[in-house]
């Protein structure tokens, strides 16, 4: 009994139809079949011990009971047809009921109806309405048969009427209980089915990606349509500009014609019902389209549209992404009206949330993928994408022995554009340039933005180097046309470097590097031009890289030395100062020219460290000469552009003077003319701070840039140095001589001292003396010397300590 009780409890709490059928089989096997077998055994025992009682039919009854048990057992084994199994069970139960009542009614009387009540109990457990109806009809018919046969029962007609009433009441109660059970079971099974579906879809959509999104969504639509009782499920998506609706996903039953692929995108504004749903994030629940009563124009338009396509019932809900309607999930019925229950609406909310999360995930992945391979500003491929495309091009085109050009373009002085129109305007112009380059290269290659104001291009549609040059020449005409921003025209020029596969590299990294190198060469040659890579250029770059690496070790290896070139008074030919000159003695390359390593130090960022070391060495050396008793002289030290613009420059100069103990009056700092001509007030402010320390200032290489007289007048400087290229032209070029005289005259009128550097001949020296140049410097007087050699010269000087030109340099 405990086993049977356990089976009944599990049957009543079954989670789904499969489990219920399993428990039903167990009920038959462990409940009804044992009862039938027990009755058969009891029947046979009665036959053995009471052979005088109807001995002819008892064995047959036993055989029939066993047959019923065997038939039920065979029925319980039916697995694949629920209807067939149910039919067999109903038939067997009805036959058993007829047999038991007609066979035993005359023997046991009304007690036989107990068997009927047991069968009614079975129908309650089984929740089978058809079985209960069959049993009810069978019991009524049997009661009538027994009544008609006239079997003697105490109470007569009243008894049979009472029996009928009892049967009716019994089945009314049974039907009520069964209805409650069926409803409860449907609710529980529906809830469990929804939970199982939601759980499965949640798991599936956690792992969704762009490659399996359509498969997952289509499966969801197909499976959930059965839950909603729909014969069509659709997802429509809203375009990014919020103007269009498109059919994106669809499931429909076989007898329905698919709309996906046949229905064109349509404007939202032309469909009032869609405007309402998208703008107000509204859901629609229509049990019967024909019976609905539209309250406004949008609803009437929607009803008419649904009727035109044969929709009988509909439920839809917007898919919200980032507080905006991304699309709409719709379930339709074209064959019948539907009663949309609360669980349908709840399920729809869950599904739209799942789809929203999936679309957000895919959109985020697409955005990350796009940003990984594309430039956000110009929509062009970025560097990573360019390298992949170039590698693919090499693999495809390279086998045909056709040249592939890589063009590296850098806009000239684009900072001026940004300073003029701001970064927003600069971005707009860069976007224009990218679009124009793409149009110009269409069919001949592809364009990418390398970063900042740089573009890189692959040229593929050429059969020879001559053809490549022609295409690149046509490409660069983009920069002969004005760009536009805010109703203004801007002419932007660019420098380009070109490398060619396979001559300049056989892989993307090498080709890009050599194109970049060539672009730098184009910049150095004056900008606004194209420079093709060459073996000489690559060798030069390799040498620069090697020197830069060695330069980083030079300080540690003590390979730098400071030489000093005397400055002489042109009138007296006396030494009145020296200029500190940096020299690099590298064991592998011997002495390397400053013209080679100073630019490398600038580019590598080492110039600040090196320049600071030169300043410290020069100041300590000048103080050492003074401490040795030599007449004080002026020490000139060059400042690089980066040193001059360093925020810590003033503190560093003050620290060097304090540490060395040198009087600031004997230190002169030289800056290039390119620094001095900049209009920024910060340049003048920096010079004034240096002057406030008591240090003198000089402009180096004067005449090589574009200094204006007004600008020179504002600068707090003490001296200007005539560039040696003009000094070398003395006695050779009348123009150079005129320039020298003009500079000297200008300086004298402004109250500035003049130094001529690079004096190498007697004629040059004589001309400068006649032109009243203050100071001279060059091989004609003295070559750069070591500190010891300068010390010997200073010892040989015979000069009064109070000489104003030496004691107090001007």
């Amino acid at each position: 009994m405990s086993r049977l009780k356990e089976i009944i409890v599990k049957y009543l709490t079954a989670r789904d139809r499969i489990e219920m059928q399993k428990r039903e089989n167990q009920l038959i096997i462990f409940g009804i079949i044992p009862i039938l077998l027990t009755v058969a055994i009891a029947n046979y025992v009665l036959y053995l011990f009471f052979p005088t009682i109807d001995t002819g039919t008892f064995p047959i009854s036993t055989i029939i009971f066993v047959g019923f048990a065997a038939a039920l057992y065979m029925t319980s084994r039916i697995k694949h047809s629920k209807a067939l199994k149910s039919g067999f069970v109903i038939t067997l139960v009805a036959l058993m009921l007829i047999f038991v009542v007609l066979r035993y009614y005359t023997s046991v009387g009304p007690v036989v109806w107990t068997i009927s009540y047991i069968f009614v109990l079975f129908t309650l457990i089984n929740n089978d309405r058809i079985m209960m109806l069959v049993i009810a009809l069978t019991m009524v018919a049997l009661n009538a048969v027994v009544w008609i046969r006239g079997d003697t029962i105490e109470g007569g007609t009243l008894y049979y009427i009472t029996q009928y009433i009892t049967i009716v009441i019994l089945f009314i109660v049974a039907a009520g209980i069964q209805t409650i059970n069926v409803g409860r079971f449907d609710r529980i099974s529906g809830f469990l089915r929804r939970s199982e579906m939601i759980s499965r879809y949640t798991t599936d959509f956690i792992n969704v990606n762009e490659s399996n999104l359509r498969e997952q969504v289509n499966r969801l639509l197909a499976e959930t349509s059965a839950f909603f009782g729909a014969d069509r499920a659709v997802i429509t998506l809203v375009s990014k500009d919020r103007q269009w609706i498109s059919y994106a996903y669809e499931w429909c039953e076989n007898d329905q014609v698919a709309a996906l692929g046949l229905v064109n995108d349509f404007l939202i504004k032309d469909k009032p019902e869609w405007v309402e749903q998208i703008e107000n994030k509204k859901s629609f629940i229509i049990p019967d389209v024909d019976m609905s009563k539209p309250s406004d124009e949008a609803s009437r338009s929607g009803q008419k549209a649904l009727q035109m396509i044969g929709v009988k019932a509909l439920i839809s809900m917007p898919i919200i992404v980032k507080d905006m309607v991304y699309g709409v999930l719709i379930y339709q019925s074209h064959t019948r009206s539907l009663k949309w229950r609360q669980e349908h609406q709840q399920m729809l909310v869950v599904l739209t949330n799942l789809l929203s999360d999936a679309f957000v995930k895919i959109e985020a992945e697409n955005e990350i993928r796009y940003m990984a391979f594309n430039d956000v500003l110009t929509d062009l491929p970025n560097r990573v994408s360019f390298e992949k495309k170039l590698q693919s091009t090499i693999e495809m085109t390279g086998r045909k022995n056709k040249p592939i050009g890589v063009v590296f373009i850098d806009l000239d002085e684009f900072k001026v554009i940004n300073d003029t129109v701001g970064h927003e305007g600069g971005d707009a112009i860069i976007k224009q340039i990218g679009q124009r380059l793409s149009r110009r290269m269409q069919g001949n290659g592809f364009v990418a933005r390398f970063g900042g104001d740089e573009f890189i291009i692959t040229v593929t549609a050429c059969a020879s180097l001559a053809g490549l040059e022609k295409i690149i020449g046509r490409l660069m005409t983009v920069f002969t046309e004005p760009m536009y921003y805010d109703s203004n025209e801007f002419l932007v020029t660019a420098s380009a470097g070109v490398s060619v596969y396979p001559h300049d590299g056989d892989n993307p990294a090498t080709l890009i590097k050599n194109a970049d190198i060539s672009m730098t060469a184009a910049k150095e040659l004056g900008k606004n031009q194209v420079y093709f890579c060459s073996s000489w250029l690559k060798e030069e770059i390799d040498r620069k890289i090697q020197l830069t690496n060695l330069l980083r070790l030079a300080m540690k290896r003590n390979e730098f030395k400071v030489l000093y070139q005397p400055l002489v008074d042109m009138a007296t030919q006396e030494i009145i100062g020296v200029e500190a000159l940096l020299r690099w003695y590298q064991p592998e390359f011997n002495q390397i020219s400053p013209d080679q390593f100073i630019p490398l130090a600038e580019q590598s960022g080492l110039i600040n460290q090196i320049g600071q070391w030169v300043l410290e060495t020069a100041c300590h050396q000048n103080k050492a000469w003074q401490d040795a008793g030599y007449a004080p002289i002026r020490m000139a030290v060059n400042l690089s552009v980066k040193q001059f613009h360093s925020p810590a420059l003033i503190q560093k100069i003050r620290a060097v003077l304090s540490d060395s103990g040198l009087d600031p009056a004997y230190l002169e700092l030289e800056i290039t003319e390119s620094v001095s001509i900049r209009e920024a007030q910060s340049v003048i402010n920096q010079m004034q701070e240096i002057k406030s320390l008591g240090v003198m200032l000089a402009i180096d290489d004067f005449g090589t840039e574009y200094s204006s007289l007004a600008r020179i007048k504002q600068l707090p400087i003490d001296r200007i140095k005539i560039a040696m290229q003009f000094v070398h032209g003395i006695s050779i070029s009348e123009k150079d001589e005129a320039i020298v005289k003009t500079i000297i005259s200008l300086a004298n009128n402004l109250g500035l001292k003049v130094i001529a550097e690079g004096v190498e001949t007697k004629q040059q020296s004589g001309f400068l003396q006649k032109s009243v140049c203050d100071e001279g410097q060059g091989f004609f007087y003295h070559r750069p010397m070591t500190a010891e050699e300068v010390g010997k010269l200073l010892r040989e000087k015979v000069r009064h300590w109070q000489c104003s030109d030496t004691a107090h340099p001007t």
Side-chain angles (χ1 to χ4, degrees), residues 279-307:
E279 289 186 355
N280 300 327
K281 305 173 186 175
K282 186 176 179 180
S283 299
F284 288 117
I285 302 173
I286 306 175
D288 190 321
V289 171
D290 296 329
M291 299 299 293
S292 64
K293 297 178 180 180
S295 59
D296 50 37
E297 178 59 32
S299 299
R300 283 191 290 274
S301 173
Q303 181 187 40
K304 187 175 180 180
L306 292 174
Q307 288 173 334

Side-chain angles (χ1 to χ4, degrees), residues 465-694:
L465 289 176
L468 178 63
E469 291 177 4
K470 186 176 180 180
I471 292 174
I472 294 173
R474 192 163 60 245
L475 171 70
M476 295 304 291
T477 59
V478 165
F479 299 101
T480 63
E481 305 163 358
M483 306 293 166
Y484 299 92
Y485 177 73
D486 198 20
S487 302
N488 295 317
E489 291 187 0
F490 297 91
L491 188 61
V492 181
T493 63
S495 301
V498 182
S499 62
V500 181
Y501 171 90
H503 311 291
D504 302 316
D506 59 1
N507 60 80
T510 304
L511 288 168
I512 292 171
K513 181 193 74 172
N514 287 332
D516 189 8
I517 289 170
S518 303
M519 182 275 296
T520 303
K523 291 273 190 187
E524 293 173 350
L525 291 172
K527 303 177 182 178
N528 192 26
Q529 58 185 295
V530 178
Y531 194 93
F532 277 74
C533 188
S534 64
S535 57
W536 172 85
L537 180 62
K538 287 184 281 189
E539 290 172 1
E540 182 66 17
I541 293 300
D542 289 341
R543 185 173 185 275
K544 285 183 178 180
I545 293 173
Q546 185 180 8
L547 287 178
T548 301
N549 292 333
L550 292 172
L551 192 62
R552 297 181 188 279
L553 301 173
M555 289 287 290
K556 295 179 181 179
R557 296 175 175 176
N558 296 318
E559 294 175 356
F560 288 125
K561 290 185 179 180
V562 178
L563 299 183
Y564 305 91
Q565 188 171 28
L567 308 171
V568 301
D569 187 310
M570 295 294 291
T572 65
Q573 302 293 297
E574 293 283 340
I575 297 176
I576 56 174
V578 294
E579 179 182 2
L581 301 173
L582 180 64
R583 295 292 183 265
W584 182 15
Y585 296 95
Q586 212 287 322
E588 185 177 345
F589 290 91
N590 295 321
Q591 184 174 340
I592 302 172
S593 168
D595 292 339
Q596 290 182 304
F597 75 81
I598 292 297
L600 294 179
E602 292 272 5
Q603 295 168 10
S604 63
L606 295 170
I607 194 64
N608 283 325
Q609 180 185 359
I610 296 172
Q612 182 68 16
W613 177 80
V614 172
L615 179 62
E616 293 172 356
T617 302
C619 289
H620 280 87
Q621 183 58 61
N622 199 14
K623 185 62 170 65
W625 286 330
Q626 292 179 14
D627 292 344
Y630 305 146
I633 58 174
R634 187 175 79 247
M635 174 66 74
V637 180
N638 288 281
L639 279 185
S640 71
V641 175
K642 289 189 177 180
Q643 278 182 285
F644 181 80
H645 290 292
S646 170
L649 177 63
I650 304 302
Q651 290 83 349
K652 288 180 179 180
I653 295 173
R654 186 182 287 114
V656 169
L657 291 172
S658 175
D659 186 52
S660 64
L662 180 67
D663 189 329
Y666 296 107
L667 176 63
E668 181 176 77
L669 298 177
E670 295 183 1
I671 60 175
T672 61
E673 187 181 15
S674 62
V675 175
S676 65
I677 65 174
R678 295 186 180 183
E679 296 297 329
Q681 183 62 37
S682 60
V683 172
I684 296 177
N685 294 341
Q686 186 83 315
M687 287 184 172
Q688 289 174 340
E689 286 197 58
I690 294 173
K691 290 290 293 180
S692 69
L693 298 176

Side-chain angles (χ1 to χ4, degrees), residues 224-231 253 332-333 335-336 338 340 344:
T224 55
S225 292
F227 174 80
F228 286 97
D231 51 30
E253 286 187 343
Q332 301 172 347
S333 171
T335 56
R336 66 188 189 280
L338 295 173
W340 303 112
H344 289 130

Side-chain angles (χ1 to χ4, degrees), residues 187-198:
R187 287 194 301 274
I188 293 174
S189 62
F191 173 78
L192 293 174
R193 188 166 72 255
R194 292 198 306 276
S195 299
E196 186 275 332
M197 290 169 63
I198 292 169

